Amino acid sequence: MSNEIMLWMESGQRRLQEHLVGRWADDIWLVNPKSSKRRAVYLRFSITSIPLKIEIKFAVWSMFDCGQWNMEKDQGDLRRNLIIIIKWLNHFTSTIQSLMERSLEQWEISLRSYIIQTGQRKQRIQKVLLSTQEYLKYVGEDRCIYLFRQLYRAIQDEYDGRPSLEKDLWDLRTLGLAVNLTDSHYTLNFTLISQLWLRDLAKAFMKYSIATRSPGDSMSKLQSLRRFSQFLVLQYPTSLSSDIDRSMIVQYISYLRTFNLSDRSRKIALGDLRIIFETCAHQLRIEGITREPIIFSSDFPKPMKQLTREIPGKVLEQVRKHLETLDTTTLRMVVILLECGMRISELCSLPLECLICDDKHDWYLRSYQMKSKKEHIIPLVNKKVVTAIQVQQQSIRERWGSTCPYLFPSRESHTMPFKAKVFANKLNEWATQKDIRDSMGKLYRFQSHQFRHTVGMRLINDDIPLEIISRLLGHSQLSSTQIYAYKNAAALRKELERVARRRKVVNHLGETVTNNAQASDSIIQITRQGIRGQTLPIGGCGRPVTSGDCEHANKCLNCPFWLTSTEDLRGLQAFYSRAVQLREKALERGNQVVVKNQERIIPNLALRIEKLEDTSMDGSLTVSDLLTQLRADCIEIESELEEAREQGRFVLVRELERIVEDLKAKITALEGSL
């Protein structure tokens, strides 16, 4: 080893040792206190090489210090694997000054050989639940190898004296970014980009990206660059930044088609690449990147109509049937999701003190929306949800006191939030155990965001105004809520039936009159004087005035032109009751004239009432009819809105604006179902 490297190692190891103070300076560490339930675990650093001992101790300390390992958790596995690693390091005849003397791959080969030769290798049969809800079994790596990788990378990162943004691994938590702690990915890994020029380009872009965009967006862009790097390795192994042109992109588009990627994934891959190249060329002014457009909008897959992804009703029935068999934590999380429709990151990061009770004893849930970077308040109407949260709060306080800031802490550390991926895995494993299937008989796979869509669709189908749903879900723009305006087939049919009942008009024979939908509207009758006939207290006259004098004067009840609609039901029912009572009194007094008149009237009224109360559909009303009605309603409300604005009636203006917005959303949704 050269003197220069030795000096670097010595100075680097002095930095490592500066962290090992107090009890961490000892060679024996008690990592979890002795209790009645657990044995005390001691980590003994009996490494012959002093410099190597400093490195290993520093690496273990850093894992505890950053919260990746928990001091309160049983660390028996850590102790056993660390003993194997220390014995392996001590068996080398030549003194090792630093793990950096060899690459990670070289060390792994040596360690793997050692544990096999000494009979200490433990093959772990692991299984993972695939997206098909089928388990795949495989032989996992020995945990001792995993542990050594963690230690090596911690030491390597500390020795790397370059500024953080010059390294190949960026820990976003150390850069002061608001990372999503419910996710497991905090690192931007540039080592998977093979081309050095593309790696430098990626770092230059990411310096700009993390200052202007979210950490999640930066990770997406880096993933797209990795995919492009793989393409270059296969198709253009000697390429440089100046070789990127339109013909290369055309081949890349074809390359993406060879993978089983969704249209959305291909669109993201191309869109990210276009943003990166254009930003580097025009804003960062990086030499060698063409300033000519090389990715066009026509290159993107045609967007498909986005429908909501709510959990099907049949699946929800099975969920509620087996809900009590979920483990306690997952059960409470599902209960909250089904009521509030939160994003999974918002649920996992709920603060312990998340409940608010006002002076009216109404309950609210307080959360933080990372996507919009704002606090959000959700009214809680369901008392079962409030109870579930209160019980969870009590459980956390009893176990952790005031040291846990989260309602649902991580299994690894109570100072970190629950992991979103863990929730999804536990839910899908449970769904497999309970054999939850969709209407096609296929095992159902849950996605956390489906709960949000399910709540949105439930509110829409309950006719909750779109503006209210937008506020409940915490959308910053109403357009984000409009995807929920789509109604499923059953809800659409109910809407058609509702409008059909509202529009239904019958004549004296009980036949539906389709071209006189507003015959009973007194305002319409007045404005149509000279077109229609009599203006009646109940119903309306469908006989044109141009037909001459009416021979049915005062005998409208038997008139074939007397039209009544659903809106007249109350009046007709009252009229019918009076006619029946009058007939009974006439019978008592022997007045046959009155009896005869009422017996002509009563059947006609009964027929009208029966037909108007019939809610079945004859197929004559279509989605197009409903659209026509909604558009007419929208035009009418917009006219009233303009009038209200001119009169300065601001309260009415806000209400009418909400109604117009809701009508337009319904129109848009119905247009998409044609």
Side-chain angles (χ1 to χ4, degrees):
M1 185 177 297
S2 67
N3 291 333
E4 183 180 350
I5 296 177
M6 283 294 294
L7 289 173
W8 173 73
M9 288 297 181
E10 289 176 2
S11 62
Q13 286 177 348
R14 281 197 296 269
R15 292 201 308 273
L16 302 187
Q17 199 164 12
E18 289 174 358
H19 297 285
L20 304 175
V21 295
R23 64 169 177 158
W24 305 110
D26 299 334
D27 289 344
I28 300 176
W29 297 354
L30 174 62
V31 293
N32 66 304
K34 187 175 182 179
S35 68
S36 58
K37 295 182 179 180
R38 294 181 298 181
R39 293 186 306 165
V41 173
Y42 293 92
L43 302 182
R44 304 176 188 274
F45 298 91
S46 54
I47 305 176
T48 305
S49 171
I50 301 301
L52 199 57
K53 182 194 294 187
I54 293 173
E55 289 183 346
I56 297 297
K57 287 172 66 175
F58 167 81
V60 175
W61 167 83
S62 66
M63 293 295 112
F64 285 118
D65 184 64
C66 71
Q68 194 165 344
W69 294 349
N70 186 1
M71 291 289 292
E72 300 300 325
K73 188 178 179 182
D74 184 10
Q75 296 294 348
D77 285 341
L78 171 61
R79 181 184 62 83
R80 286 188 293 270
N81 291 320
L82 191 58
I83 288 174
I84 295 174
I85 291 175
I86 291 174
K87 288 182 177 179
W88 162 64
L89 291 173
N90 284 338
H91 95 286
F92 287 98
T93 54
S94 59
T95 304
I96 303 170
Q97 297 299 313
S98 173
L99 290 180
M100 300 299 105
E101 293 178 13
R102 301 180 188 180
S103 67
L104 177 60
E105 292 73 20
Q106 290 174 318
W107 284 122
E108 281 192 18
I109 293 171
S110 175
L111 178 57
R112 193 175 289 108
S113 300
Y114 173 80
I115 59 178
I116 292 174
Q117 291 171 5
T118 56
Q120 300 181 85
R121 184 182 185 186
K122 292 185 178 180
Q123 287 189 333
R124 296 180 299 116
I125 304 299
Q126 295 180 296
K127 61 180 183 179
V128 61
L129 190 61
L130 303 176
S131 59
T132 57
Q133 287 296 82
E134 297 175 340
Y135 282 102
L136 173 67
K137 292 184 178 180
Y138 65 97
V139 179
E141 183 66 272
D142 192 290
R143 291 190 182 276
C144 195
I145 302 294
Y146 280 133
L147 174 59
F148 181 75
R149 286 176 187 169
Q150 288 180 292
L151 301 179
Y152 185 92
R153 286 170 178 158
I155 298 166
Q156 184 183 47
D157 184 65
E158 185 66 21
Y159 274 145
D160 192 342
R162 293 178 295 172
S164 298
L165 298 184
E166 298 299 328
K167 297 179 181 180
D168 290 337
L169 292 173
W170 294 4
D171 188 334
L172 298 178
R173 293 170 296 180
T174 64
L175 298 178
L177 300 180
V179 298
N180 181 4
L181 296 178
T182 68
D183 197 354
S184 301
H185 304 290
Y186 313 124
T187 305
L188 293 180
N189 186 354
F190 297 93
T191 61
L192 299 179
I193 299 178
S194 304
Q195 301 78 13
L196 294 180
W197 64 266
L198 186 58
R199 189 182 300 181
D200 291 338
L201 181 77
K203 291 179 182 178
F205 174 80
M206 290 304 163
K207 290 177 185 177
Y208 172 81
S209 179
I210 61 175
T212 59
R213 298 177 180 270
S214 68
D217 181 79
S218 298
M219 290 181 179
S220 172
K221 299 287 192 296
L222 185 57
Q223 175 62 31
S224 298
L225 280 171
R226 289 173 185 167
R227 184 171 280 124
F228 185 65
S229 174
Q230 294 169 359
F231 160 74
L232 293 179
V233 169
L234 295 174
Q235 304 288 344
Y236 297 89
T238 61
S239 63
L240 298 173
S241 60
S242 56
D243 296 323
I244 300 176
D245 57 13
R246 175 61 183 170
S247 62
M248 180 186 288
I249 294 300
V250 170
Q251 290 191 48
Y252 181 58
I253 294 173
S254 300
Y255 170 80
L256 290 176
R257 291 181 180 277
T258 62
F259 293 91
N260 189 26
L261 297 176
S262 65
D263 288 346
R264 182 175 181 273
S265 296
R266 287 192 289 119
K267 182 178 180 181
I268 291 174
L270 284 174
D272 285 347
L273 210 59
R274 180 165 74 172
I275 291 173
I276 292 168
F277 287 153
E278 290 181 355
T279 301
C280 290
H282 298 288
Q283 293 178 267
L284 303 181
R285 302 288 182 177
I286 295 177
E287 294 295 331
I289 302 297
T290 179
R291 286 175 170 73
E292 296 296 326
I294 55 175
I295 300 178
F296 303 105
S297 299
S298 58
D299 296 331
F300 298 107
K302 292 183 179 179
M304 296 181 63
K305 182 170 66 175
Q306 289 288 323
L307 298 180
T308 58
R309 295 180 288 129
E310 72 272 20
I311 301 172
K314 184 177 180 180
V315 174
L316 273 178
E317 289 177 8
Q318 298 171 73
V319 169
R320 293 191 171 99
K321 178 182 177 181
H322 301 293
L323 195 59
E324 297 299 328
T325 64
L326 274 167
D327 67 271
T328 304
T329 300
T330 309
L331 169 62
R332 291 168 182 167
M333 295 176 82
V334 169
V335 167
I336 296 173
L337 284 178
L338 283 173
E339 178 67 19
C340 303
M342 309 171 71
R343 298 181 182 91
I344 186 61
S345 60
E346 297 163 11
L347 174 68
C348 291
S349 58
L350 274 176
L352 182 60
E353 304 299 334
C354 59
L355 280 180
I356 301 173
C357 184
D358 63 12
D359 53 359
K360 297 180 181 179
H361 300 286
D362 291 328
W363 291 94
Y364 299 86
L365 182 65
R366 176 174 62 90
S367 66
Y368 179 76
Q369 293 188 321
M370 183 170 292
K371 188 172 183 179
S372 54
K373 295 181 175 59
K374 65 180 181 182
E375 193 173 71
H376 184 53
I377 305 296
I378 303 173
L380 295 178
V381 180
N382 191 332
K383 299 302 180 184
K384 290 183 179 180
V385 178
V386 176
T387 302
I389 295 174
Q390 290 174 331
V391 172
Q392 178 67 12
Q393 286 176 322
Q394 182 64 25
S395 174
I396 297 300
R397 291 188 185 109
E398 289 177 356
R399 183 174 182 185
W400 303 111
S402 60
T403 62
C404 178
Y406 297 105
L407 183 66
F408 297 104
S410 169
R411 299 181 301 177
E412 302 299 324
S413 172
H414 67 278
T415 61
M416 298 288 288
F418 203 89
K419 299 297 182 184
K421 188 175 181 180
V422 173
F423 170 79
N425 288 341
K426 289 168 73 70
L427 191 62
N428 282 308
E429 288 173 358
W430 169 78
T432 303
Q433 294 168 4
K434 298 303 174 183
D435 197 37
I436 294 180
R437 297 178 179 270
D438 60 18
S439 58
M440 304 299 292
K442 184 180 177 182
L443 280 170
Y444 191 77
R445 184 168 181 82
F446 288 93
Q447 295 177 344
S448 302
H449 204 66
Q450 289 172 323
F451 289 94
R452 186 169 174 84
H453 284 257
T454 301
V455 172
M457 285 299 297
R458 185 187 72 216
L459 295 173
I460 278 289
N461 289 321
D462 286 344
D463 286 326
I464 304 298
L466 210 62
E467 181 186 4
I468 302 300
I469 299 174
S470 181
R471 291 174 58 187
L472 286 173
L473 296 180
H475 288 153
S476 56
Q477 296 180 342
L478 196 61
S479 58
S480 302
T481 318
Q482 287 181 340
I483 185 174
Y484 301 113
Y486 160 78
K487 292 199 173 189
N488 58 35
L492 180 60
R493 179 174 180 82
K494 288 181 180 179
E495 184 77 8
L496 289 171
E497 289 177 350
R498 183 182 66 80
V499 175
R501 288 194 296 271
R502 187 182 70 184
R503 298 177 59 206
K504 197 170 188 179
V505 178
V506 297
N507 59 19
H508 71 299
L509 298 177
E511 299 170 338
T512 301
V513 180
T514 58
N515 59 345
N516 285 280
Q518 294 175 310
S520 64
D521 191 323
S522 59
I523 297 177
I524 296 296
Q525 292 180 50
I526 292 173
T527 58
R528 290 184 177 180
Q529 285 293 346
I531 301 176
R532 295 198 184 280
Q534 300 294 322
T535 300
L536 307 175
I538 297 178
C541 179
R543 183 178 188 274
V545 173
T546 54
S547 299
D549 293 336
C550 175
E551 60 183 13
H552 299 277
N554 298 323
K555 295 182 180 180
C556 292
L557 295 180
N558 298 315
C559 176
F561 292 106
W562 185 37
L563 306 178
T564 50
S565 71
T566 317
E567 295 175 354
D568 302 317
L569 262 174
R570 280 192 174 183
L572 288 171
Q573 290 165 345
F575 207 159
Y576 177 81
S577 297
R578 288 197 299 270
V580 171
Q581 292 173 1
L582 184 59
R583 184 187 63 177
E584 291 175 351
K585 290 182 179 180
L587 284 171
E588 292 175 0
R589 298 181 181 183
N591 191 334
Q592 294 300 318
V593 176
V594 175
V595 170
K596 187 176 181 180
N597 286 336
Q598 299 310 311
E599 286 181 344
R600 286 200 309 268
I601 293 172
I602 289 172
N604 289 338
L605 291 173
L607 178 62
R608 287 178 184 271
I609 292 170
E610 177 188 358
K611 294 299 181 181
L612 289 173
E613 286 181 336
D614 183 11
T615 60
S616 62
M617 296 179 63
D618 59 5
S620 60
L621 185 63
T622 65
V623 175
S624 298
D625 296 326
L626 179 55
L627 268 172
T628 301
Q629 180 67 38
L630 290 176
R631 286 169 181 152
D633 292 344
C634 190
I635 292 173
E636 181 179 352
I637 298 299
E638 284 179 331
S639 176
E640 294 181 16
L641 175 60
E642 290 301 318
E643 184 177 343
R645 283 173 177 161
E646 292 176 0
Q647 296 174 357
R649 301 170 66 184
F650 300 113
V651 175
L652 180 60
V653 165
R654 285 196 297 272
E655 178 63 20
L656 292 176
E657 285 176 342
R658 183 194 63 75
I659 295 173
V660 168
E661 199 70 51
D662 194 40
L663 284 171
K664 287 182 177 179
K666 290 183 177 181
I667 291 169
T668 301
L670 288 173
E671 287 173 341
S673 63
L674 288 176

CSV table of all heavy atoms in Angstrom, one decimal, residues 13 106 139 208 230 265 329 522 629 659:
chain,number,residue,atom,x,y,z
A,13,GLN,N,-9.7,7.1,9.2
A,13,GLN,CA,-10.1,6.3,10.4
A,13,GLN,C,-10.1,7.2,11.6
A,13,GLN,O,-10.9,6.9,12.6
A,13,GLN,CB,-9.0,5.2,10.6
A,13,GLN,CG,-9.3,4.1,9.6
A,13,GLN,CD,-8.2,3.0,9.7
A,13,GLN,OE1,-7.2,3.1,10.4
A,13,GLN,NE2,-8.4,1.9,9.0
A,106,GLN,N,-15.0,-8.9,-4.1
A,106,GLN,CA,-13.9,-9.7,-3.7
A,106,GLN,C,-14.1,-10.2,-2.2
A,106,GLN,O,-13.9,-11.4,-1.9
A,106,GLN,CB,-12.6,-9.0,-3.8
A,106,GLN,CG,-12.1,-8.7,-5.2
A,106,GLN,CD,-10.9,-7.9,-5.3
A,106,GLN,OE1,-10.7,-6.9,-4.5
A,106,GLN,NE2,-9.9,-8.2,-6.2
A,139,VAL,N,-34.2,-19.4,-3.1
A,139,VAL,CA,-33.1,-19.5,-2.1
A,139,VAL,C,-32.5,-18.2,-1.8
A,139,VAL,O,-31.9,-17.6,-2.7
A,139,VAL,CB,-32.1,-20.5,-2.5
A,139,VAL,CG1,-31.0,-20.6,-1.4
A,139,VAL,CG2,-32.7,-21.9,-2.7
A,208,TYR,N,-30.3,20.0,-10.2
A,208,TYR,CA,-31.3,20.9,-10.5
A,208,TYR,C,-32.7,20.4,-10.1
A,208,TYR,O,-33.5,21.2,-9.5
A,208,TYR,CB,-31.3,21.2,-12.0
A,208,TYR,CG,-32.4,22.0,-12.5
A,208,TYR,CD1,-32.4,23.4,-12.4
A,208,TYR,CD2,-33.5,21.4,-13.1
A,208,TYR,CE1,-33.5,24.2,-12.9
A,208,TYR,CE2,-34.6,22.1,-13.6
A,208,TYR,CZ,-34.6,23.5,-13.5
A,208,TYR,OH,-35.6,24.3,-14.0
A,230,GLN,N,-29.3,1.1,-20.1
A,230,GLN,CA,-29.3,-0.3,-20.5
A,230,GLN,C,-29.5,-0.5,-22.0
A,230,GLN,O,-28.9,-1.3,-22.7
A,230,GLN,CB,-30.5,-1.1,-19.8
A,230,GLN,CG,-30.3,-1.2,-18.3
A,230,GLN,CD,-31.6,-1.6,-17.6
A,230,GLN,OE1,-32.6,-1.9,-18.3
A,230,GLN,NE2,-31.5,-1.8,-16.3
A,265,SER,N,-46.3,3.4,-18.5
A,265,SER,CA,-44.9,3.3,-18.1
A,265,SER,C,-44.0,3.7,-19.3
A,265,SER,O,-43.0,4.4,-19.1
A,265,SER,CB,-44.6,1.8,-17.8
A,265,SER,OG,-45.2,1.4,-16.6
A,329,THR,N,-53.3,-4.1,13.8
A,329,THR,CA,-52.8,-2.9,13.2
A,329,THR,C,-53.4,-2.7,11.8
A,329,THR,O,-53.9,-1.7,11.4
A,329,THR,CB,-51.3,-2.9,13.1
A,329,THR,OG1,-50.8,-3.0,14.4
A,329,THR,CG2,-50.8,-1.6,12.4
A,522,SER,N,-96.3,25.3,-14.7
A,522,SER,CA,-97.2,26.4,-14.8
A,522,SER,C,-96.5,27.6,-15.6
A,522,SER,O,-97.1,28.3,-16.3
A,522,SER,CB,-97.7,26.9,-13.5
A,522,SER,OG,-96.6,27.2,-12.6
A,629,GLN,N,-81.0,16.5,-20.9
A,629,GLN,CA,-81.7,17.1,-19.8
A,629,GLN,C,-80.7,17.9,-18.9
A,629,GLN,O,-80.9,19.0,-18.5
A,629,GLN,CB,-82.4,16.0,-18.9
A,629,GLN,CG,-83.1,16.5,-17.7
A,629,GLN,CD,-84.3,17.4,-18.1
A,629,GLN,OE1,-85.0,17.1,-19.0
A,629,GLN,NE2,-84.5,18.5,-17.3
A,659,ILE,N,-73.2,24.4,-8.3
A,659,ILE,CA,-74.2,23.5,-9.0
A,659,ILE,C,-73.8,23.4,-10.5
A,659,ILE,O,-73.8,22.3,-11.0
A,659,ILE,CB,-75.6,24.1,-8.9
A,659,ILE,CG1,-76.1,24.1,-7.5
A,659,ILE,CG2,-76.6,23.4,-9.8
A,659,ILE,CD1,-77.4,24.8,-7.3
